[in-house]
Amino acid sequence: MILTKIKIRNVSHIPLYQIRLLSQSSILFQYQLPSDYKPQKKQIKSISLKRGWRIWKQSLKADRLQQLQDELVDLMINKNDPLNANIKRENAVVKLNNEGQDHINEINFEIINHESYPMKHIVFIHGYGASLGCFARNFQLINKFQNKSKYNYKVHFLDNITFGLSSNPQIKSTKVKGINNWIIPKCPDIKVKQGEDEKLYHKYYKLVEQYKINGPEFENYQTTFKPILSELEDFYTSAIDNWRISQGIDQIDYLVGHSFGGYWSGSYSLRYPTKLKNLILLSPVGVERHVHAVTNDLIDSNQPEQTFKPTINPVSYNFLTRLPILSAKHTFEWYYKTPFLPRVLKYLGPIGVQIYFQMWLSKLFKINKIINKFGGPEKLFSNNNDLVYGRKKECFLIIEYLYNSITRGSNSDIYIKNLLTPATVSKYPLYDKFENFLIKDGKQFDFNVSIVYGQYDFMNSEAGQKLVEMIRYENGEKSDVKFFKIAEGGHNLYIDNPFDTNQLIHDIVEGETEIHERVSEVYRR
């Protein structure tokens, strides 16, 4: 990539948006907007009851989600546009076992640059409360791989097991609670002593004076959850691997996981380290260590009450995460209300549709502000597929698709409560999984790792940085490990700023990430 040769002497003094634009190879070949293109100027904040009624009534059709998935693919990648003429698309239902009971639904796009070239497989796995259509703004990534000189590409977007149009099996276990036996054991009580001069760190963390915890209670919690977490890992990671086997893929070239999907993608990489070449985690949930980690070895199981001094270091077991700012109401709703909200939402009829749309509209229309901030569509768009970004039709279709997806109900509505604490951290930190693999087990791996967060992410990006540093130190030169941030992105960075997300993933695949690393250096200062 020619642009990576540009020399920037004092990168800390260059505005972030200018550095961001340097990473866009499209500026070398300026795309001309159609003469009839008009930007979306109005931000819609709500929908009418009449429209909500129509959407709700259509959602009662058994095949509605499939219809919306097809419409979304057609909208984002217009098959009538010559740009997409050589892109083969497929909606596949991939069986995971011989009985054919469980399956993974996927949309894949195949780009054949030359019949003699080897194929690279790029696999996307979404987070909780979503399905493959949440990556609709990333479908355009495929255009960046056209006319490359070395490879053909197949980009797979999966409905993770239990989500979307994939099957929704229950874990066959007496330990893991399903929707019919949903009561989840609570985390041990933490008694916090507030200090006199407290302040919030990064909006979500407060350093208090001390905390107390009961040793025997914590030991019982560890004994209860360790086998549960082991069974959850087997459930989600084996589904990914059975999909890989069924698709006849020897090694996944690039496994891209977001949030909940990022956690299981990271877990998969350590369970099947020879079955992938590159791991890309987009704002993964559950990286950080914390007091409620089942791996916490600081607590004496024989002492009823112990006092500790907390820290804001996200790889310390004395990290309280968001606990000091969580209310009793939030904790109660975490266990007894939120697991059922997706299922209840549909029973609210058109009012439920209105509520869901109102929650998502501002998030999706935000892209228009980003487009303007980064120079407008005439500078940012690179082809006709980009013309749908931020349009009313696009935003409404994505939301209706997601509404129909989550209201189907998923066993993961319960499973995620077994994995995460009310503070939205994993009971088995991803940091510990990597450290145990590299240090405790004395192993090494060959796959490369890229960890990506949004500029305004509520996930703990510092923990992600420390994970990168630890892997670099312990795994040596066995793999390439990098850390990035996406400008103007939040937790859903791939939706907020698909331009930089798509460009970054493309550049990771093509080995052209030098300019992005400069951007991440700016964030570190």
Side-chain angles (χ1 to χ4, degrees), residues 182 329 332-342 344 417:
W182 58 269
K329 179 183 178 183
F332 177 84
E333 290 181 347
W334 174 266
Y335 289 110
Y336 301 109
K337 181 180 177 181
T338 56
F340 307 101
L341 285 179
V344 171
K417 303 301 180 181

Side-chain angles (χ1 to χ4, degrees), residues 110-128:
E110 189 171 344
I111 305 101
I112 303 297
N113 292 314
H114 194 280
E115 292 181 356
S116 65
Y117 293 165
M119 180 73 73
K120 281 190 175 184
H121 292 273
I122 305 169
V123 181
F124 283 77
I125 299 180
H126 61 82
Y128 174 72

Side-chain angles (χ1 to χ4, degrees), residues 281-331:
L281 302 181
L282 306 178
S283 189
V285 72
V287 174
E288 61 269 58
R289 280 175 170 164
H290 54 94
V291 64
H292 280 145
V294 296
T295 44
N296 186 349
D297 57 4
L298 301 180
I299 300 170
D300 186 346
S301 61
N302 296 315
Q303 288 190 13
E305 187 172 80
Q306 296 159 74
T307 302
F308 294 93
K309 187 174 181 60
T311 178
I312 56 170
N313 179 5
V315 293
S316 167
Y317 293 125
N318 282 326
F319 182 41
L320 294 179
T321 67
R322 298 176 178 86
L323 283 177
I325 66 171
L326 296 186
S327 66
K329 179 183 178 183
H330 169 87
T331 302

Side-chain angles (χ1 to χ4, degrees), residues 168-407:
N168 185 27
Q170 288 197 26
I171 297 176
K172 298 175 182 179
S173 168
T174 58
K175 298 181 178 67
V176 181
K177 309 299 182 182
I179 194 67
N180 298 321
N181 186 16
W182 58 269
I183 296 178
I184 301 162
K186 294 182 180 179
C187 296
D189 186 41
I190 303 291
K191 297 178 181 178
V192 173
K193 182 180 180 181
Q194 305 285 352
E196 294 181 0
D197 184 22
E198 295 175 352
K199 62 179 180 179
L200 285 176
Y201 295 84
H202 306 298
K203 292 171 60 176
Y204 303 105
Y205 311 109
K206 183 192 290 185
L207 187 60
V208 297
E209 186 176 322
Q210 66 179 36
Y211 71 90
K212 295 182 179 180
I213 189 169
N214 182 287
E217 182 183 350
F218 186 80
E219 183 184 32
N220 182 63
Y221 162 78
Q222 287 178 308
T223 302
T224 299
F225 273 101
K226 281 183 178 179
I228 290 175
L229 296 168
S230 177
E231 291 189 3
L232 287 173
E233 178 176 305
D234 180 69
F235 178 73
Y236 288 101
T237 60
S238 63
I240 297 172
D241 203 55
N242 287 334
W243 170 86
R244 177 193 63 79
I245 294 169
S246 294
Q247 284 289 59
I249 300 172
D250 182 49
Q251 282 185 304
I252 299 173
D253 294 285
Y254 295 87
L255 180 60
V256 186
H258 172 251
S259 192
F260 187 68
Y263 181 86
W264 294 121
S265 295
S267 301
Y268 174 86
S269 71
L270 298 177
R271 185 169 180 136
Y272 303 95
T274 63
K275 301 305 178 184
L276 79 163
K277 296 179 181 178
N278 296 271
L279 175 68
I280 303 175
L281 302 181
L282 306 178
S283 189
V285 72
V287 174
E288 61 269 58
R289 280 175 170 164
H290 54 94
V291 64
H292 280 145
V294 296
T295 44
N296 186 349
D297 57 4
L298 301 180
I299 300 170
D300 186 346
S301 61
N302 296 315
Q303 288 190 13
E305 187 172 80
Q306 296 159 74
T307 302
F308 294 93
K309 187 174 181 60
T311 178
I312 56 170
N313 179 5
V315 293
S316 167
Y317 293 125
N318 282 326
F319 182 41
L320 294 179
T321 67
R322 298 176 178 86
L323 283 177
I325 66 171
L326 296 186
S327 66
K329 179 183 178 183
H330 169 87
T331 302
F332 177 84
E333 290 181 347
W334 174 266
Y335 289 110
Y336 301 109
K337 181 180 177 181
T338 56
F340 307 101
L341 285 179
R343 296 170 188 266
V344 171
L345 188 62
K346 201 157 193 172
Y347 291 101
L348 297 179
I351 295 176
V353 175
Q354 285 184 302
I355 293 171
Y356 191 76
F357 266 71
Q358 189 171 8
M359 179 184 74
W360 269 102
L361 280 168
S362 62
K363 297 178 183 179
L364 287 171
F365 275 103
K366 176 187 174 184
I367 193 174
N368 294 303
K369 294 181 180 179
I370 292 177
I371 290 171
N372 292 331
K373 185 171 184 177
F374 290 158
E378 57 276 355
K379 288 188 177 180
L380 202 57
F381 289 1
S382 59
N383 58 60
N384 287 350
N385 288 333
D386 291 345
L387 297 175
V388 302
Y389 281 139
R391 311 294 289 179
K392 178 180 176 181
K393 183 176 182 180
E394 184 233 23
C395 295
F396 274 55
L397 184 54
I398 291 175
I399 299 172
E400 184 176 357
Y401 166 86
L402 291 174
Y403 169 83
N404 278 266
S405 176
I406 71 157
T407 53

Side-chain angles (χ1 to χ4, degrees), residues 141-185:
L141 175 68
I142 62 178
N143 299 116
K144 295 182 180 296
F145 293 119
Q146 292 190 72
N147 303 316
K148 293 294 179 180
S149 60
K150 296 180 181 179
Y151 297 98
N152 299 318
Y153 299 86
K154 196 165 187 177
V155 187
H156 309 257
F157 295 90
L158 310 188
D159 278 337
N160 200 0
I161 191 72
T162 76
F163 293 96
L165 292 169
S166 290
S167 59
N168 185 27
Q170 288 197 26
I171 297 176
K172 298 175 182 179
S173 168
T174 58
K175 298 181 178 67
V176 181
K177 309 299 182 182
I179 194 67
N180 298 321
N181 186 16
W182 58 269
I183 296 178
I184 301 162

Side-chain angles (χ1 to χ4, degrees), residues 2 32 35 68 110 122 160 222 257 314 359 448 452 486 508:
I2 297 174
Q32 297 297 318
S35 58
L68 290 168
E110 189 171 344
I122 305 169
N160 200 0
Q222 287 178 308
M359 179 184 74
N448 300 320
V452 189
I486 295 295
I508 290 172

